[in-house]
Amino acid sequence: MLYRILTVLILSCTLAYAADPEPAKSGAPANPAGEASVKQLLEATHARQLIDSMLTQMDGMMKNVMQQVTQGQPVPPQVQKIYDQSRAEVLSAMNDQFSWDKMEPLYVRIYQKSFTQAELDGILAFYKTPAGQAVINKMPVVMQNTMQEVQQMMGPMMQRIQRMQKDMVAQMQAEKGKKSGG
């Protein structure tokens, strides 16, 4: 779900860049988007649900990390209690920090600084179409598939990097041996 948030932001930024080839130089738009339009866009892109699902996904990730650490073996009750308490504290802090009440005003400010009303109208019109909704709904799958493909590509690269590190360590040790022996 974090991917959906990032995707919406990336797509929005891409559309803004296409409309203004020098966004960094232009600063705030001359005719910034209105708050109501930004809120309409946030509704169309399901931003609130994305935030909520991101927090739920974080809980799942923390559980997965614990399973990986323990390798599925039983955990002593006192260790489980510490883990559960820590996880609850992290989730509470994240829920506080990333609540919709805090995130919505942040999104509104960012979108108003980034888009003109005309740009936002165009983006909103697109996201209201079936194609726009397909982008919103299918982008998480695209991102997940991309991550899987990239991970497959990373395997051989990581092996190569590990070999390079071993070679570097061996070379450093050889140099150290030359200096201390000679």
Side-chain angles (χ1 to χ4, degrees):
M1 293 304 126
L2 175 60
Y3 299 127
R4 288 178 77 177
I5 295 168
L6 295 174
T7 301
V8 169
L9 291 174
I10 289 168
L11 287 172
S12 298
C13 291
T14 303
L15 291 172
Y17 185 77
D20 183 3
E22 298 184 37
K25 294 180 182 177
S26 64
N31 181 17
E35 183 175 341
S37 295
V38 173
K39 287 184 177 185
Q40 278 184 320
L41 179 62
L42 295 174
E43 180 68 28
T45 58
H46 315 290
R48 183 180 196 144
Q49 293 87 344
L50 294 175
I51 295 291
D52 292 343
S53 61
M54 177 191 70
L55 295 170
T56 301
Q57 188 176 17
M58 289 300 298
D59 185 31
M61 288 171 45
M62 286 188 287
K63 288 177 183 177
N64 286 340
V65 167
M66 182 63 166
Q67 288 177 346
Q68 288 174 359
V69 168
T70 62
Q71 299 177 342
Q73 298 299 314
V75 178
Q78 62 274 24
V79 172
Q80 186 66 47
K81 182 179 177 182
I82 293 168
Y83 167 74
D84 290 341
Q85 183 179 354
S86 296
R87 191 178 109 240
E89 289 173 8
V90 168
L91 289 174
S92 177
M94 290 186 69
N95 281 322
D96 289 345
Q97 188 64 37
F98 296 107
S99 70
W100 183 246
D101 290 340
K102 289 185 180 179
M103 295 303 293
E104 184 182 32
L106 178 130
Y107 283 137
V108 169
R109 283 192 312 272
I110 291 170
Y111 278 66
Q112 286 181 315
K113 288 179 185 178
S114 304
F115 298 107
T116 66
Q117 185 62 49
E119 291 167 340
L120 197 68
D121 290 343
I123 295 166
L124 187 54
F126 170 71
Y127 281 138
K128 286 183 176 182
T129 68
Q133 285 299 298
V135 168
I136 291 167
N137 293 324
K138 292 181 179 181
M139 195 53 68
V141 173
V142 169
M143 295 300 293
Q144 182 179 15
N145 291 337
T146 301
M147 292 301 285
Q148 288 173 353
E149 297 272 343
V150 168
Q151 285 175 351
Q152 288 176 4
M153 293 170 60
M154 294 293 289
M157 186 182 77
M158 292 305 293
Q159 291 171 354
R160 183 177 174 198
I161 289 172
Q162 288 172 347
R163 283 192 306 270
M164 292 167 62
Q165 287 175 333
K166 286 179 184 177
D167 291 347
M168 181 186 67
V169 168
Q171 289 174 1
M172 292 171 71
Q173 288 174 343
E175 283 298 314
K176 185 179 178 183
K178 286 180 187 177
K179 289 182 181 180
S180 64

